Amino acid sequence: MSNSHESGHLHGAGAHDFELPPIPGAIDIFDTTLRDGSQQEGLSLTVDDKLRVAEQLDHLGVAFVEGGWPGANPKDAEFFARARSELHLSTATLVAFGSTRRAGVRAEDDEVLRHLVEAGTDAVCIVAKASEAHVVDALRTTLDEAIAMARDSVSFLRQNGLRVFFDAEHFFDGFQANPDFTRRVLDAAVTAGAETLVLCDTNGGTLPHDVERIVAQIVADNDCQVGVHFHNDSGCAVANSIAAVRVGATHVQGCVNGYGERAGNADLSATIPSLTLKLNVRTIPPDRLERITPVSHHIAELVNIAPNPQQPYVGSAAFAHKAGLHTSAIARRSDAYEHVAPDSVGNGTRFVVSEMAGRSTLAFKAKELGLELDSKAVGEVLDTLKVLEHKGYHFEVADASLELLLRRATGWEQDFFEVESYRVISDHNNRDNTEATVKVLVGDSRQVATAEGNGPVNALDSALREAVGEHFSGLSGIHLTDYRVRVLDTGRGTGAVTRVLIDSTDGDVVWTTIGVSENIIEASWQALFDSIVYGLLRSEHQVAKTASTEEQEEQEAMAGEALRRTAREEK
Ligand SMILES: [Zn+2]
């Protein structure tokens, strides 16, 4: 599918001693998260997880999803068996992975090839050694046999009606050491009917200038599609993929979020937007690029690996602005500190509030939340923030505590419940046990609740829920998901200040609250208290929202107008 741009030769020969082919107009994205990506340490997927990941990739619109290696393990065999009836892909083609026949075995007698045919996909990808050193040292066979293995395996799969992608393993290293042998392997695959020659940088050590030079030669020498597969051991997997496309590769393999063993595979979450937005190469259906951030996060959740906030394009910090100078500049020109429009990739600009932030950041944050804060109030909040951050609070990460702080600045006070006292007793006996008692007033009714827990936070959480739970039905859907303690001012040993961060969720969103104190129980209580109050506030708003979505939309439109007004005033 490689139609070229009219302006193909724009980047011409220049500093090169060879002619560069035109930049392709479109390429195929081949995701290997379920095969190569799952080699990552700590990444393990059930068959159900694999089906869900494949659905997400199809929703994103990649051309190919490599599902696994049916001959190598029963889980992947089960995946392909279930995929036939349970997986309904609309954009992507499912691909089974395997290797060439073994040395000295006929293709029709080879077990791996048989499993590939039995996987029941329309397309397969087989890996072959394309480096002399690996044939001699690892395979311990002759170069001629290695070439016959490539040829016979492709022929056999073609005879079984399959589309064949040919992964040339250790291609770049092999090509630099013995280009003649590596070319003979590629020729054998093409002659036997391979659809795509995939040049693999298996050790991930190749740099972009070598990629550009070598891929250009292979593209010039072959009529068939040329693809690439990069590992990130030199930190260049995305750059190498882009370099390869610039010289005519039209099939790019990689993994969403750059999963993979060692330093990972090429991160498709960066490769796809860079090729699409900067080189104007069609990668996935154009109207789906904005799905890339949600899909990246959804897949991170399925593989149970916390997303990296600093990941380009899709990270939660990818468009987060902290310094006051940046945020006021962004108010004037959105592209001042953003290399692409965040919503083009489904991400958003975020203003991070900290003591370093100026007035404008805080004003934006308030507008974002739909709060009316005049400039005097903004100044007061800023002063409060500075004092609290000096004590060890860190509001950048505690979005919910920050929101409560801003709401209080508007004169709001939570009236869900009033705390009279709390107490924690920790016993050391046969069963380490902690007991907490919480006394609160909910309206006119005084509630005293005692609960046990495996630690003070757990016991306090249970007691507080017990005390106020019957008055607020929304509370049952809220639970804590993470509790982190950091000791500040470590020079003071056990007398040091403790910062506690608590993550909570209502199943819809996650929020973070903070507490700081020399007393770890007090710090935990502050974070816990904010967490519950914020959760109740959210559940109250949810009810109001479903009651009147129209009103909500109107408010949002007004907030947007207010934001634009502030931006004008700042000029
Ligand atoms: Zn690989």
Side-chain angles (χ1 to χ4, degrees):
M1 58 186 288
S2 56
N3 58 308
S4 298
H5 289 311
E6 321 288 351
S7 57
H9 277 97
L10 258 185
H11 57 313
H16 305 275
D17 55 357
F18 53 89
E19 275 295 315
L20 287 177
I23 298 180
I27 63 158
D28 295 327
I29 294 291
F30 183 110
D31 181 281
T32 179
T33 301
L34 297 176
R35 200 271 303 173
D36 220 6
S38 66
Q39 299 298 312
Q40 175 163 330
E41 197 180 357
L43 196 156
S44 166
L45 292 167
T46 64
V47 173
D48 279 309
D49 294 334
K50 294 189 78 156
L51 292 165
R52 299 293 89 76
V53 170
E55 282 165 1
Q56 283 296 306
L57 293 167
D58 184 55
H59 175 69
L60 176 63
V62 304
F64 300 100
V65 171
E66 193 168 55
W69 190 334
N73 65 67
K75 191 204 280 177
D76 283 7
E78 186 193 334
F79 167 79
F80 284 103
R82 282 181 57 187
R84 247 172 285 172
S85 56
E86 294 176 39
L87 194 59
H88 306 287
L89 303 180
S90 59
T91 317
T93 297
L94 188 63
V95 181
F97 177 84
S99 58
T100 58
R101 70 164 173 81
R102 281 166 297 146
V105 177
R106 296 193 316 157
E108 46 272 48
D109 297 331
D110 188 85
E111 217 182 324
V112 169
L113 292 178
R114 184 169 53 80
H115 281 299
L116 270 180
V117 173
E118 285 169 1
T121 57
D122 294 334
V124 295
C125 182
I126 55 165
V127 62
K129 299 242 181 282
S131 139
E132 177 186 5
H134 283 84
V135 170
V136 175
D137 298 338
L139 227 48
R140 292 175 183 277
T141 186
T142 64
L143 299 187
D144 287 340
E145 173 64 359
I147 286 159
M149 285 158 66
R151 183 193 58 224
D152 297 351
S153 306
V154 175
S155 292
F156 172 78
L157 295 165
R158 293 292 295 138
Q159 281 157 20
N160 280 276
L162 292 162
R163 296 171 68 179
V164 180
F165 301 111
F166 186 83
D167 271 8
E169 194 188 34
H170 298 291
F171 166 82
F172 288 93
D173 299 334
F175 187 83
Q176 305 215 58
N178 181 349
D180 289 340
F181 170 69
T182 301
R183 279 186 202 276
R184 282 178 66 205
V185 175
L186 298 185
D187 289 346
V190 174
T191 311
E195 178 173 328
T196 307
L197 292 175
V198 183
L199 314 179
C200 301
D201 187 25
T202 309
N203 292 352
T206 309
L207 298 178
H209 64 284
D210 283 327
V211 168
E212 191 171 83
R213 177 174 56 83
I214 295 169
V215 174
Q217 290 176 46
I218 301 300
V219 168
D221 293 351
N222 287 280
D223 289 332
C224 74
Q225 185 180 41
V226 172
V228 286
H229 174 114
F230 288 104
H231 281 264
N232 199 35
D233 300 75
S234 304
C236 292
V238 171
N240 284 342
S241 305
I242 294 168
V245 170
R246 265 182 34 97
V247 296
T250 56
H251 166 116
V252 172
Q253 301 196 350
C255 299
V256 161
N257 299 334
Y259 298 131
E261 64 188 322
R262 305 190 314 273
N265 284 67
D267 180 2
L268 290 180
S269 325
T271 310
I272 291 173
S274 287
L275 287 171
T276 307
L277 296 172
K278 306 197 172 201
L279 288 185
N280 200 23
V281 173
R282 190 176 187 277
T283 53
I284 54 175
D287 56 337
R288 299 206 194 172
L289 188 60
E290 64 192 34
R291 296 184 184 179
I292 200 152
T293 297
V295 165
S296 148
H297 293 189
H298 195 131
I299 290 179
E301 203 168 288
L302 288 167
V303 304
N304 198 22
I305 290 176
N308 170 12
Q310 290 185 301
Q311 206 178 336
Y313 294 102
V314 300
S316 60
F319 301 97
H321 306 279
K322 179 165 166 177
L325 186 69
H326 287 200
T327 44
S328 47
I330 284 226
R332 289 179 202 125
R333 277 197 61 152
S334 64
D335 60 352
Y337 289 92
E338 290 178 342
H339 69 129
V340 298
D343 45 358
S344 64
V345 289
N347 208 336
T349 299
R350 204 158 57 81
F351 297 107
V352 178
V353 176
S354 79
E355 58 181 344
M356 273 170 70
R359 232 160 220 290
S360 53
T361 318
L362 213 53
F364 278 127
K365 195 78 201 179
K367 296 292 177 202
E368 217 174 81
L369 300 168
L371 301 175
E372 287 292 332
L373 277 189
D374 60 21
S375 86
K376 182 165 164 280
V378 168
E380 283 167 11
V381 174
L382 205 57
D383 291 342
T384 311
L385 261 179
K386 285 180 180 172
V387 171
L388 289 173
E389 295 233 343
H390 185 68
K391 283 186 184 166
Y393 285 83
H394 193 52
F395 287 97
E396 277 169 63
V397 287
D399 52 349
S401 288
L402 176 70
E403 180 173 338
L404 294 177
L405 190 82
L406 285 168
R407 285 188 185 278
R408 284 184 200 114
T410 66
W412 171 86
E413 274 305 327
Q414 72 89 9
D415 55 2
F416 301 114
F417 57 92
E418 192 184 324
V419 179
E420 189 184 298
S421 68
Y422 70 83
R423 182 175 68 182
V424 178
I425 303 164
S426 203
D427 278 333
H428 180 81
N429 51 30
N430 284 340
R431 327 180 310 155
D432 278 336
N433 217 339
T434 307
E435 189 184 293
T437 301
V438 173
K439 299 177 186 175
V440 295
L441 284 167
V442 186
D444 295 333
S445 114
R446 183 166 181 267
Q447 305 283 335
V448 178
T450 297
E452 289 183 328
N454 56 13
V457 180
N458 182 233
L460 276 172
D461 182 38
S462 302
L464 181 57
R465 281 160 186 281
E466 177 87 32
V468 301
E470 69 175 270
H471 297 268
F472 303 102
S473 59
L475 196 58
S476 59
I478 299 167
H479 60 271
L480 310 189
T481 55
D482 199 11
Y483 171 79
R484 301 187 292 285
V485 177
R486 172 105 188 256
V487 176
L488 310 170
D489 191 8
T490 45
R492 290 174 58 198
T494 52
V497 170
T498 307
R499 175 199 290 157
V500 168
L501 289 169
I502 289 180
D503 292 344
S504 313
T505 184
D506 55 8
D508 205 11
V509 298
V510 175
W511 61 88
T512 307
T513 50
I514 190 168
V516 172
S517 170
E518 285 180 5
N519 178 338
I520 188 172
I521 307 240
E522 168 60 23
S524 304
W525 171 262
Q526 289 172 10
L528 186 64
F529 177 86
D530 271 8
S531 155
I532 300 287
V533 168
Y534 186 83
L536 291 174
L537 194 64
R538 251 190 72 80
S539 72
E540 202 179 47
H541 278 222
Q542 291 301 99
V543 175
K545 197 151 109 192
T546 37
S548 169
T549 316
E550 258 175 43
E551 197 179 312
Q552 174 82 8
E553 279 166 5
E554 207 170 284
Q555 278 174 5
E556 276 166 14
M558 280 165 62
E561 173 53 31
L563 201 100
R564 283 187 288 279
R565 219 165 36 230
T566 320
R568 282 197 297 272
E569 282 162 12
E570 289 242 339
K571 280 185 190 172

